[in-house]
Structures are given as C-alpha cells and as structure tokens.
Amino acid sequence: MSDRQVDYLLIGGGLASGNCARWLRESGADGSILLVGRELDLPYDRPPCSKGYLRGKESREDTLFRGADWYEDQGIEALTRTSVMKLDTAARTASLSTKDVITFDKALLATGAGVRRLNVAGSDLEGIHYLRTFGNSDAIRDDAAGKRVVLIGGSYIASEVAASLIELGSSCTMVMIEPVPLSRGFGIEAGRFLHDRLAEHGITVCGDDELDRFEGADGRVTRVITKRGRELEADAVVIGVGAAPDVTLARNAGLELGETGGVHVDSRLQTGVPGIFAAGDVAEYESVVHGGRSLRIEHWDVAFSQGRTAALNMLGRDQPHDVVPYFFSDLSDWVSLEYVGPAFDWEEEVIRGSVDDGKFSVWYLKDGRVAGALSIGRSEDLMHAARLLASGAELGGGAAQLGDLSTDLSSV
C-alpha cells in the first residue's frame, strides 16, 4: 500500500471529470490533478454509444473527450480500471481498488448513473441488453444487427438505438408505457411527429402498453410478452427505462442525498463538506435558473457544463451554476431535436413553424412563463427560449407572439 497527496481528486471517469480537469488547468490550477475512473477508457462522449459508434461510423478514439497525449501534456494523471472504494471526508483520504490511499485537498464526485434494471420473469435470459458503455454498445451491435429486436422504453435510449439498429438491418419493435415516443418530456404533438419518423422507417411502436415477461429457449430470449397480450418474437432485446445515480460512495461517506436520490449540492455544486463537489448525473443541485429548485439531470451537456462550474469553484471563484439545461438527440440522420428546460409540467404548448414540414419549435408555458422549448429544424429559437426561461419573465400577451412567424423573438 502506498500513500500520496494530490491537490485535486476527480472521482469518476466520465465527461464531468474530464471537463473539470480541463478547466482546472485552463483556469490557472498548477497543483496535482488525479482523475480516477473504473471504465476501461479515458473519459468519452456517451451519446455515440447509441448512435454513430453503435452504427460503426465512429471509433472509440473519435468519441474520447481528450486523447492520452493531452492528459500527459497537461500534467493530469488519469487512471482507468480503477475505483475509489472508500472516501473519508474528514481525513480527506480516498482508498483505491489498487490499494493506494490518496490524500487530497479538494475533490469532485462524478460517479455518474447506472441503468435501471427490470426484474420480471425471464429477465436473466441471454440476449437481453442494457446500454451505458462502449462494451454494451459493442454487445448490442454484435448480437442484434440484422435481427428481430424488441426495445423496451419510449425515451432517448430506446428511440436512438431503434433508429441505429434499423440502419444495421434489424427489424425493430418498441414497447412503451407512453402513447408515443418521447411524449413524457415533449408532449403528444411532438411525440406524434417523432413516432411518425420512426414508423416511416419501419419501426413498429407499441404504445400504451407495458412489458409483462420474457420467454426463451435454451437459456436465450425468444419472445416478449406485454401486459396487453402482445407476443413479440425477439432475437434480442434492448432495455432503456432510465438510470439511477451511483451514490454508493457518497452515501457511505456520509454525504447528504437529495429528494431524487442524487448527491445534494448547492448552487456552486458544493456538498455539505467544504471543498468536496459533485457534478454530472449524480449531482442534485440548486438551480438558480429555476428559482433554487433542486434538479438532477442526466445529459451530456449538463455534465459538460457542470464540470466547468465545479472546476471554477474548486479554485474559489464563487460561480453559481447558471447554465440553462440543454438537451439533444438524433434519430439516425432522419431527425435531430434540441431542447432547453426541463419543463416538468406545463399548461400550454405554443407551436412556432410547421410540424408538417418538420421545421418547428414547441414552447411549453406555465403560469404565463416559458418552462421549456423543443426545436426540430429551428435551432435559432432556442437562444430566445433560454433567455426567457432564465429571466422568468411573464409573457402576458407575448405568449401568442411566440407562434407568430412574423414576430421577432428578440422583441418578446
């Protein structure tokens, strides 16, 4: 066992840690930085795992946040295949799976989230997949390309994977509780549009239904049975029903958890222990954009931007995390969507543009204010939506102007 000291310990091998390391160096940190991640690879972008990487159009190197040479050039030590087994916040020590004990000055918890696993009859059969890492993506490609695939879930992962697998020659059926894909976050109007894009490329969507069980032969899945009695033949299954924050290390260290199960941090992303921060999927933060409401958001851009905020505050900059959350998704090259929010609930939807032409934005309003906005083919609208969301301005009669293409949104 060896003991050593570092100035900055970044726990987790994902994008939040990678961008935190970058901003520490770019913002003047000259101390030692140690990034510890349990995955096989250096920090990388996860969205390609359901899209370009899954389809074989992007390599692992293409998706890396930074290559190995960058870490060496920046004097950042990055350990892969290594876990932090114990965190002592009082002693400021971390025990690694390598038996090393690290003493640190400041630390970032960016342990991410793990997939939610379903516990139904047959869930232990071969051929049932979840997606989180490169390895999962490799397994899905090898096992499901060109075959009959049933996808469970109606959100980002299931929709994106279905679109990618169609490109690989698979036959895809989606089973979801929602009436149409992505409607929980975007509403029925936008959901129908996305459903139609999936359907016109051959994906069968079974909405308003729920998984009952899996059936198989010789230890491998062969059929999916739904609660409405559908019997769907399946050579492989991909499940995308959400994720849960990985808070085991934080909980064992005595850090406070929030209402959604993430690590509770303030608007500066600092935990209740000074000098220890959290960012990315695991962080439940007080959002100054949303009036101090606690949010925990699992998306690439949020992890990226929180890595920067955490770095600045580790350097004592007293920077609130005031970035409006931004989301994006691609269904192959058929349709791309962007979104700011999140709108947890809303009272009115205003559509700007033409749904039929596939160029429109949906504005989600609550109490006369913008709670979120979705763009398909109208990216320019999101800048104005983010501005109005962050300001919390009451629109009054301006709400009707959002849907009027003759209105200059900068004047609203």
Side-chain angles (χ1 to χ4, degrees):
M1 180 181 295
S2 61
D3 298 344
R4 57 195 178 107
Q5 169 118 21
V6 299
D7 294 293
Y8 305 97
L9 173 65
L10 312 181
I11 304 171
L15 185 63
S17 284
N19 204 34
C20 181
R22 166 200 168 190
W23 279 97
L24 282 170
R25 279 290 183 252
E26 290 189 3
S27 301
D30 55 7
S32 52
I33 302 172
L34 173 63
L35 187 155
V36 179
R38 61 172 175 254
E39 289 198 42
L40 306 181
D41 302 272
L42 292 167
Y44 60 92
D45 296 330
R46 292 188 189 276
C49 288
S50 60
K51 294 180 274 193
Y53 180 77
L54 177 58
R55 298 197 303 271
K57 294 184 177 181
E58 293 179 74
S59 68
R60 289 197 179 202
E61 290 72 23
D62 292 334
T63 70
L64 290 178
F65 171 69
R66 294 288 188 275
D69 290 347
W70 178 83
Y71 291 91
E72 184 176 353
D73 291 343
Q74 296 295 316
I76 297 167
E77 183 179 3
L79 301 179
T80 58
R81 310 184 190 202
T82 305
S83 297
V84 175
M85 308 303 293
K86 180 180 179 182
L87 181 67
D88 187 328
T89 61
R92 303 294 244 228
T93 61
S95 301
L96 308 188
S97 55
T98 57
K99 306 302 182 183
D100 292 326
V101 176
I102 307 299
T103 301
F104 60 87
D105 181 30
K106 295 179 180 176
L108 174 71
L109 273 170
T111 46
V115 296
R116 293 189 185 277
R117 295 186 173 271
L118 296 181
N119 184 21
V120 301
S123 58
D124 57 346
L125 290 167
E126 296 269 343
I128 297 175
H129 301 272
Y130 294 83
L131 178 59
R132 190 67 184 171
T133 66
F134 277 143
N136 301 144
S137 190
D138 291 337
I140 291 169
R141 187 192 316 109
D142 293 344
D143 197 37
K147 299 179 182 178
R148 296 171 301 179
V149 184
V150 175
L151 301 104
I152 309 299
S155 193
Y156 289 107
I157 292 298
S159 299
E160 292 171 357
V161 171
S164 292
L165 288 177
I166 285 288
E167 296 290 308
L168 295 175
S170 301
S171 170
C172 294
T173 300
M174 297 175 63
V175 175
M176 65 193 70
I177 297 173
E178 304 94 319
V180 289
L182 295 159
S183 56
R184 283 188 177 182
F186 302 145
I188 292 296
E189 187 79 23
R192 286 197 187 106
F193 173 84
L194 296 167
H195 167 274
D196 291 347
R197 301 293 78 71
L198 294 168
E200 71 186 15
H201 287 88
I203 296 170
T204 300
V205 179
C206 302
D208 289 323
D209 205 347
E210 190 173 354
L211 171 68
D212 182 68
R213 67 187 186 275
F214 300 111
E215 294 180 351
D218 300 321
R220 183 174 179 86
V221 68
T222 58
R223 188 178 293 110
V224 174
I225 310 299
T226 76
K227 290 191 175 180
R228 294 184 63 178
R230 290 184 171 101
E231 297 184 5
L232 305 171
E233 301 299 316
D235 300 310
V237 171
V238 180
I239 298 175
V241 291
D246 183 355
V247 295
T248 301
L249 183 66
R251 181 189 293 113
N252 291 341
L255 294 174
E256 180 185 356
L257 303 184
E259 294 182 0
T260 67
V263 179
H264 176 73
V265 292
D266 62 18
S267 62
R268 274 64 178 169
L269 306 184
Q270 186 168 231
T271 70
V273 179
I276 297 182
F277 299 79
D281 294 358
V282 76
E284 186 170 327
Y285 73 104
E286 297 172 7
S287 173
V288 297
V289 172
H290 298 84
R293 178 172 182 166
S294 289
L295 301 183
R296 191 182 66 80
I297 299 175
E298 299 160 1
H299 201 81
W300 182 94
D301 191 75
V302 174
F304 182 81
S305 62
Q306 287 187 348
R308 176 182 182 273
T309 299
L312 294 178
N313 288 320
M314 293 171 98
L315 294 171
R317 304 291 174 82
D318 192 32
Q319 171 67 49
H321 187 67
D322 56 4
V323 180
V324 175
Y326 167 83
F327 310 75
F328 62 87
S329 181
D330 302 295
L331 304 181
S332 187
D333 58 359
W334 316 332
V335 62
S336 295
L337 62 90
E338 299 173 275
Y339 175 79
V340 293
F344 300 97
D345 56 88
W346 56 92
E347 300 161 343
E348 182 182 0
E349 294 181 17
V350 176
I351 295 177
R352 183 178 179 87
S354 171
V355 175
D356 291 340
D357 292 341
K359 293 184 178 181
F360 64 97
S361 57
V362 183
W363 299 67
Y364 306 95
L365 308 182
K366 184 173 182 180
D367 299 328
R369 297 176 172 86
V370 173
L374 168 71
S375 165
I376 294 177
R378 291 191 60 87
S379 297
E380 64 275 13
D381 291 355
L382 289 192
M383 173 182 68
H384 301 288
R387 169 179 58 82
L388 291 168
L389 192 159
S391 71
E394 289 191 41
L395 297 177
Q401 295 178 335
L402 296 175
D404 184 350
L405 289 178
S406 67
T407 299
D408 180 358
L409 288 176
S410 64
S411 68
V412 177

